[in-house]
Amino acid sequence: KNYSIMSVKLNLIEAKITNDSEISTVIKNTICNDWKATFDSASEELDFLSQIIKKNELINGMCFPNKQNIFRAFQLTPLSKVKAVFLSTKPYDKVDLSDGSPLANGLAFSVNENCTMPKELLALYREVASSVATFTIPTHGNLTSWALEGILLLNLSLTVSPGIPGSHGEIWIGFIAKVIETLAVNKPTVPFVLFGELTKKVANLISGQSLIVTTTTPSHKKFATSECIKKVIAHLEKNKIAPINWTIK
């Protein structure tokens, strides 16, 4: 049911947004839930990065993900529904070899169902499988189920230039800081998993009541010993936050 309603909403959004759309147009047509106040408070930061992205696209081509998907994490996971935050470093900068579509789809680690599953996502699935007895590793990499379940799947940078990893790495920091500050006020006990060294730069903004798990990116060999999912599950239980259903549909 949630999937069908969400599909209709996202199809309507896609009809209004093209890859030539300005960031302000994208926000106007995608953010209509309880994240709106955060976006309003970050208007200066968003105007700043919008201009940089526009200039960057004249040189390097349209950014990834497609414009209608840039703020997808906020569309699928309203502030009031957040149970946990997964913060990674950057979106995928490659395209799927089968059809040339961007791997990045607006959710950290996630790819569309028709895309080849990235190795780091498979490693993340294995970590969940080692911590959740009922979890079966799916055959696709679409993490919409997790987003709807309350996991805010964010990257430190929400866009990237094609084929240039981390190319928008610094321009989103001001906006992401606003998001974390909002969570500190409204969701002070939700756990954060910070994937990769770069994400540690925002750790000081996270609420002192929250759990902060720092780990490598899932593609690193040390990730297998992080037990990050077990720590998140234990924190949710301790703080009487509703458990996460990890099943991928």
Side-chain angles (χ1 to χ4, degrees):
K1 184 176 179 181
N2 283 343
Y3 256 131
S4 60
I5 294 173
M6 192 60 64
S7 294
V8 170
K9 289 182 178 178
L10 294 182
N11 286 339
L12 289 173
I13 289 166
E14 187 171 351
K16 297 179 181 179
I17 298 172
T18 71
N19 279 335
D20 292 319
S21 297
E22 301 276 351
I23 294 292
S24 58
T25 302
V26 178
I27 294 169
K28 181 180 178 181
N29 286 286
T30 59
I31 304 303
C32 56
N33 58 18
D34 53 5
W35 283 111
K36 189 175 184 305
T38 303
F39 277 75
D40 289 344
S41 72
S43 59
E44 287 187 18
E45 288 84 356
L46 290 164
D47 287 343
F48 164 74
L49 64 88
S50 178
Q51 293 304 312
I52 293 179
I53 289 172
K54 189 175 180 178
K55 291 176 182 177
N56 189 281
E57 288 184 324
L58 292 174
I59 301 169
N60 297 313
M62 294 298 173
C63 68
F64 292 163
N66 290 331
K67 289 282 173 58
Q68 72 265 21
N69 290 328
I70 290 176
F71 301 110
R72 191 158 171 258
F74 301 97
Q75 293 171 257
L76 297 180
T77 314
L79 175 59
S80 59
K81 302 295 185 183
V82 175
K83 298 177 184 176
V85 181
F86 284 8
L87 183 64
S88 190
T89 54
K90 57 188 181 297
Y92 301 120
D93 63 283
K94 301 290 191 295
V95 297
D96 187 65
L97 296 179
S98 65
D99 62 4
S101 62
L103 286 177
N105 69 5
L107 303 176
F109 301 114
S110 180
V111 295
N112 293 331
E113 292 186 22
N114 60 310
C115 292
T116 303
M117 193 186 304
K119 290 181 179 180
E120 67 173 4
L121 177 53
L122 183 57
L124 180 56
Y125 278 161
R126 286 172 177 156
E127 176 63 19
V128 176
S130 72
S131 305
V132 181
T134 56
F135 181 75
T136 300
I137 294 178
T139 56
H140 66 83
N142 188 338
L143 300 184
T144 296
S145 295
W146 284 1
L148 293 174
E149 187 61 24
I151 304 177
L152 186 62
L153 295 163
L154 275 185
N155 284 304
L156 204 57
S157 172
L158 301 189
T159 55
V160 67
S161 292
I164 311 176
S167 47
H168 297 183
E170 294 298 322
I171 68 174
W172 286 93
I173 292 295
F175 172 70
I176 295 298
K178 293 278 189 181
V179 171
I180 295 174
E181 288 167 2
T182 296
L183 289 162
V185 172
N186 295 277
K187 291 283 184 174
T189 60
V190 297
F192 280 71
V193 183
L194 305 182
F195 296 88
E197 191 68 26
L198 290 175
T199 59
K200 293 179 182 178
K201 67 175 68 177
V202 298
N204 64 313
L205 301 174
I206 299 171
S207 165
Q209 300 176 58
S210 181
L211 170 73
I212 303 174
V213 180
T214 58
T215 183
T216 64
T217 56
S219 56
H220 196 286
K221 61 183 180 181
K222 290 184 179 179
F223 178 72
T225 61
S226 71
E227 297 191 331
C228 59
I229 303 302
K230 287 181 181 177
K231 293 171 183 176
V232 166
I233 293 170
H235 180 82
L236 295 176
E237 185 175 353
K238 178 182 177 181
N239 287 274
K240 296 181 171 54
I241 301 172
I244 291 168
N245 179 357
W246 297 92
T247 301
I248 298 288
K249 297 177 184 176

